[in-house]
Amino acid sequence: MHCIRGFIGKEGIIKDFANNWIEAKPVTLAQGFSIIFLTNELYDSIVELIDSKL
């Protein structure tokens, strides 16, 4: 069994997201979509940002 965590969306939106996160590495998919895998480093960075805003 596999579990893949990530964000999938239109290529432009995913690239904009990736431009704001050093840990985000977009991968181009078919039909104008891209994915960013939710690595431990990216997850930790997002949690750190959320915690700093609370």
Side-chain angles (χ1 to χ4, degrees), residues 5-54:
R5 299 182 304 163
F7 302 98
I8 298 175
K10 287 292 191 180
E11 188 172 16
I13 295 170
I14 294 297
K15 285 188 177 184
D16 287 344
F17 178 87
N19 287 337
N20 292 306
W21 297 94
I22 294 170
E23 298 86 0
K25 308 293 186 229
V27 176
T28 302
L29 303 173
Q31 299 180 347
F33 287 91
S34 289
I35 185 170
I36 295 173
F37 292 103
L38 186 57
T39 62
N40 290 336
E41 294 81 11
L42 179 56
Y43 177 83
D44 290 344
S45 180
I46 293 170
V47 169
E48 183 179 323
L49 175 66
I50 292 169
D51 287 345
S52 73
K53 301 289 183 181
L54 298 178

